[in-house]
Amino acid sequence: MAEFSWNTQSPLESALVPGHHGVTGTQVGVTLEEVRDISLVQVMTRRGRAAGTAKAAKKVFGIEPPTSPSAAMGRHATLIWSGPDQFIAVSAQSAEDQFAKLSEAFAGAASLSDQSDGRCLIRIGGPRVRQALAKFCSLDLDDRAFPPGAAATTSIDHTAMNIWRGADSTDGHAIFNMLVLTSFADSLWHTILDSALEYGVQASLAHAA
Amino acid sequence: MRIACPFCGERENGEFTYLGDASPERPNFAVDGRESPDRVEDAFYDYVYLRDNVAGVMREYWYHGGGCRSWLVAERNTVTHEFISVTAAPGAGAASAVRAGE
Ligand SMILES: [Zn+2]
C-alpha cells in the first residue's frame, strides 16, 4: 500500500521568493506579501435573522458586521462584507480552535464555514500599487472611490476575490488586502508580480498577528 | 457596458451573466386534477419556451456571479443598452422580505 505523508504548506510555497524583483537599484514601487497563519470564517445570515447575527458578532468580535461593501476593523478581527447578509471574519490563528465557540455564538442566527485553509491572503502596497493593480483590476481604487475600510467582492483577472483596503502604511501609501481561493493564489501572485516588475517589487512573507 | 449592482455598486458587465426575460411567471394550478391537461400543457409550454422579442425596454434577470453572487432584475433598453434600473431579485439576501420564487 502506498504511503502518504501529509504536510501543510502555503499555496505560494514555490511562487513566493522573498527579496527584490524587477527593476534593479534601491527603488521599491510595490510591496507584495503573503500573510500566513490566518483564521477565516464565512458567516451567512439565515433568513430574517440579520439582527441576531449582528448581535452575536458584536458579542464575539466586539464590532458590528458591515452591511455595505466595507471592512469593519476590530481589535482582534476584521469583518469583511462579502455579499448581502454575509461577511468573512479574518483574524490571526490562535493556538486553540475558536470555531466551535463561534458556532455556538451564532447558533440559529447564521451558518458558519471555516475557510482558514481555503483562501490565501495577499497584501499589496507601495507608492506604485495602483498602477500595478490597474493592469488587471477593473475597480476604481482611487482614494475617493475606495478609501481605507472600503471592500469589494469582485473578479480580478477572472479570479473571484475579496479585496479590502486597510489602514495606510506608516509612509502614507495605500494597502490592499486580497483574499483568493488557494488554487488560484499561485496564478494571481505571478500576475501581480509580472505587472509590478517595472516598478520594482519587494516580496516578503508575513505572519498574522 | 457597466451595471450598477444594488449591493456592490457599478461593475463591468463581465462580472454578470444574462439570464433572460424576467417577465414569465410560473403557472400555478391546483393538483386536484380538475384542470384540463391541455390548458396546463399550454401554460407550461408558454412559460418554458415562448419569449417576446422586445426592441426597447424589458425586464431581465442578471446574475452577479463575479461579485456578490446575487440575482438581480434589470430594466434595460435592448436597442440602446441603457440600464434604467437594477434591483435585487425576490429572495436575494436574507434580510429581504420576499422569498425566492414568490
Ligand atoms: Zn453584486
Side-chain angles (χ1 to χ4, degrees), chain A residues 28-205:
Chain A
V28 173
V30 172
T31 57
L32 187 56
E33 59 182 1
E34 183 202 351
V35 183
R36 289 186 188 170
D37 308 322
I38 49 166
S39 167
L40 297 174
V41 179
Q42 172 80 56
V43 180
M44 298 182 92
T45 308
R46 293 191 186 162
R47 193 168 300 283
R49 301 300 306 271
T53 301
K55 206 174 145 196
K58 181 90 204 229
K59 196 176 150 205
V60 292
F61 300 117
I63 38 174
E64 295 266 343
T67 53
S68 62
S70 59
M73 288 166 226
R75 265 164 55 84
H76 302 295
T78 300
L79 309 184
I80 317 294
W81 183 92
S82 62
D85 304 306
Q86 52 173 281
F87 63 91
I88 302 169
V90 186
S91 57
Q93 214 156 48
S94 64
E96 51 160 339
D97 182 22
Q98 303 278 344
F99 193 73
K101 213 178 97 191
L102 289 178
S103 303
E104 201 176 308
F106 284 95
S111 299
L112 270 54
S113 165
D114 188 350
Q115 296 291 316
S116 303
D117 296 317
R119 314 281 184 97
C120 178
L121 178 57
I122 296 171
R123 192 173 278 169
I124 177 169
R128 309 299 294 276
V129 60
R130 288 189 182 85
Q131 282 97 325
L133 285 173
K135 293 182 187 177
F136 53 88
C137 170
S138 68
L139 290 181
D140 182 354
L141 297 175
D142 186 82
D143 269 327
R144 283 162 295 183
F146 211 83
T153 301
T154 186
S155 296
I156 288 183
D157 195 39
H158 306 281
T159 306
M161 176 82 56
N162 295 96
I163 181 169
W164 73 97
R165 187 170 160 192
D168 288 350
S169 66
T170 46
D171 51 3
H173 299 300
I175 294 176
F176 300 95
N177 297 281
M178 305 165 100
L179 211 47
V180 60
L181 289 162
T182 48
S183 51
F184 293 101
D186 184 272
S187 148
L188 182 80
W189 181 270
H190 284 113
T191 301
I192 301 174
L193 193 61
D194 289 349
S195 304
L197 288 177
E198 64 168 305
Y199 311 120
V201 182
Q202 185 66 36
S204 61
L205 183 57

